[in-house]
Amino acid sequence: MESLEEIRREFLARLDQIRSESDLNELNQEVFGKSGRLTAILRTMGQLSKEHRAAMGAAVNEVKRELEQRVLERRAELKKRAQELRFLRDALDVTEPADFSLPRGSLHPMTQTYREIRNALVGMGFSMFDGPEIELDDNNFTLLNLPLDHPARDMQDTFYINNKVLLRTHTSPCEIRALQTVKPPFRLIMPGRVFRVDEVDATHHPVFMQIEGFVVDKNLNIANLKGTLDSFVHAVFGDNVKTRLRPSYFPFTEPSAELDISCTICGGSGCRVCKGTGWIEILGCGVTNPHEIMNCGYDPMEWRGIAFGVGVDRMASLKYGISDVRLEYENDARFLRQF
Ligand code: DAH
């Protein structure tokens, strides 16, 4: 009886000290386990007399019930405490400033170049105008003064959808759509994707991006064209870049020219990029052919146009020194990360 009371007291004292469930299991084992102290007492009961055995049995059961009850309570306490600790440790402070060191992307060099060209021209009073990528043969060729049998049609190998419909080979058909829908005078830029049957190589891609510039007004002439292009080039490449108009041929302009700028790589002294000439061609341009004006229902004696078409990939190559257009159209992250 005495050692039973001792076991009880000691058990309760140790129970208060216990800090974890595993310690609790250990204590349980020590007392109630196979070789536990209470189990040992139960084993000696066989040696007791009948009356003593009944009294002892009742006492042991009482202590056992009490201790088991206390163990249950203590276990619940420990569980609760452990959960509270976990809540404290995992607590989330939603007012804490976020970590902004996530990797961030940047605009594609073509997008940057496109926006720069657009901003320069919008700053010069141009507005945006849009045309479709799937175009009528009429708009892409015939009304631009390239009738069916015109040899210049071969300059642009065309993806045809049927006899009358094609993927536009340039942004110039937007000029026809503008003349048909916008009342002149106007100053418009028409950006977009164009398509040509071309093998992919360092300077060719079957899909590329152009920006068309188109001004229609009374009394326009080639001086207006030259002034407009000079302002545009200086806005994009800086004031030190020189320009020159070189005679050329396009069916939709008369006269036609190509605009060269002094080489942005060597500054004009001659290098590999400008093939030793000091000049680089950046766009085609001209004074709108009277046939185009007439084809759209206006009197060419009253209305004149000046126009230019610039390749965005070429401008991006020059701005950033990119030597292969494929890099501009394939989204290789190792390349793009540099911008
Ligand atoms: N459309 C021509 C091309 O893709 C570029 C061009 C030349 C556009 C002269 C024009 C222009 O507006 O006047 O090759």
Side-chain angles (χ1 to χ4, degrees), residues 95-253:
T95 68
E96 195 178 340
D99 177 3
F100 283 120
S101 61
L102 290 168
R104 263 189 279 182
S106 56
L107 292 175
H108 194 286
M110 292 269 283
T111 306
Q112 293 185 33
T113 305
Y114 160 64
R115 288 193 181 180
E116 217 170 304
I117 296 171
R118 181 197 62 192
N119 291 348
L121 288 165
V122 166
M124 291 161 60
F126 284 76
S127 310
M128 309 291 292
F129 186 83
D130 202 17
E133 293 172 356
I134 298 174
E135 212 9 311
L136 296 171
D137 178 288
D138 273 353
N139 291 343
N140 194 81
F141 289 129
T142 311
L143 293 171
L144 282 169
N145 199 32
L146 284 111
L148 260 181
D149 55 356
H150 198 289
R153 281 190 173 219
D154 297 344
M155 278 163 54
Q156 302 174 352
D157 277 321
T158 309
F159 287 109
Y160 277 94
I161 289 170
N162 59 40
N163 278 346
K164 290 183 184 325
V165 183
L166 44 73
L167 296 183
R168 66 178 175 191
T169 59
H170 52 178
T171 44
S172 300
C174 297
E175 294 187 10
I176 302 300
R177 289 179 178 268
L179 278 169
Q180 288 170 345
T181 56
V182 185
K183 204 166 158 307
F186 56 69
R187 256 179 271 186
L188 298 175
I189 49 174
M190 303 109 156
R193 245 179 246 147
V194 301
F195 307 84
R196 292 186 197 175
V197 181
D198 260 328
E199 293 287 331
V200 177
D201 64 25
T203 55
H204 293 88
H205 202 272
V207 184
F208 56 103
M209 193 186 176
Q210 284 190 336
I211 302 176
E212 191 85 6
F214 191 34
V215 184
V216 173
D217 207 333
K218 301 180 175 179
N219 303 319
L220 282 175
N221 59 45
I222 200 160
N224 302 115
L225 177 66
K226 186 164 168 47
T228 302
L229 293 176
D230 277 355
S231 305
F232 161 61
V233 166
H234 291 148
V236 176
F237 289 104
D239 288 335
N240 293 331
V241 171
K242 290 195 274 295
T243 63
R244 73 176 185 191
L245 283 176
R246 187 166 32 75
S248 183
Y249 171 75
F250 298 100
F252 31 89
T253 41

